[in-house]
Amino acid sequence: MKFKKFVTRKFVKIAGLFLILILFSGCLPIQPPNNQAKLAEDFTLPALEGGYFTLSEHFGQPILLYFFSTTCHYCQEETPNLVKMYNTYQSAGLLVVGVAVNVNSLQELRNFVENYGITYPILIDEDEEVSESYDVYYIPHNFFINRDGEIVDDKVGLMSEAELEEQILDIL
């Protein structure tokens, strides 16, 4: 008899929890679908070569916004592919923009740019405000922005050349 009471109480508790979950599930925030684009947040950062770069001034062309660090192994591995993609698709309007985070020294950043033959703009996010506004917690982190200034996709971690090219073709 005790066993039956125990099982009945357990069942009632579990059923009650289920009911509560069902009732309150309508209160949970609804996540937008992953394929829904949102406007890229505008920012202005200093460029390594001098002057300032404002993202919104480049809306109208496809942009690959790339957050990286010179000391990140995966960033070092991905950079040659980015250089290749930029050189291949620059004539089609592609703009690759590198945003350097965790910069130890400007000379180290210049050496990185020179060693990899980077010709696209490199920006310095010294206070990491832009990284925070884009929710960049891991690098490399790529944002693919279409001609309307909308982020259509973002990828965290090392991307192969083929993966980069596929994403770039989607925004061209």
Side-chain angles (χ1 to χ4, degrees), residues 9-143:
R9 283 186 190 165
K10 262 304 200 210
F11 178 78
V12 169
K13 285 182 182 179
I14 291 172
L17 284 173
F18 244 122
L19 183 61
I20 289 171
L21 285 172
I22 289 170
L23 290 174
F24 287 104
S25 67
C27 298
L28 298 175
I30 298 171
Q31 294 284 341
N34 285 341
N35 60 355
Q36 186 177 5
K38 71 174 191 170
L39 191 62
E41 190 171 327
D42 194 20
F43 63 82
T44 299
L45 283 175
L48 180 61
E49 296 305 318
Y52 288 88
F53 178 98
T54 300
L55 183 66
S56 62
E57 290 176 0
H58 300 276
F59 290 169
Q61 68 185 121
I63 302 168
L64 192 171
L65 186 61
Y66 172 62
F67 289 84
F68 75 101
S69 172
T70 59
T71 57
C72 162
H73 173 73
Y74 294 120
C75 300
Q76 294 167 1
E77 204 172 315
E78 189 171 69
T79 296
N81 293 333
L82 289 167
V83 169
K84 183 177 181 180
M85 292 296 108
Y86 180 64
N87 292 336
T88 301
Y89 294 105
Q90 180 182 12
S91 62
L94 177 67
L95 176 62
V96 174
V97 179
V99 179
V101 297
N102 301 322
V103 176
N104 293 324
S105 75
L106 290 180
Q107 189 55 51
E108 180 181 296
L109 185 55
R110 284 187 183 95
N111 290 343
F112 184 87
V113 168
E114 186 178 323
N115 289 340
Y116 288 99
I118 298 171
T119 57
Y120 50 80
I122 298 293
L123 313 179
I124 304 161
D125 190 12
E126 189 172 354
D127 298 328
E128 297 183 14
E129 288 178 16
V130 174
S131 303
E132 286 179 20
S133 71
Y134 274 79
D135 293 327
V136 173
Y137 301 107
Y138 302 99
I139 51 176
H141 196 147
N142 294 302
F143 291 86

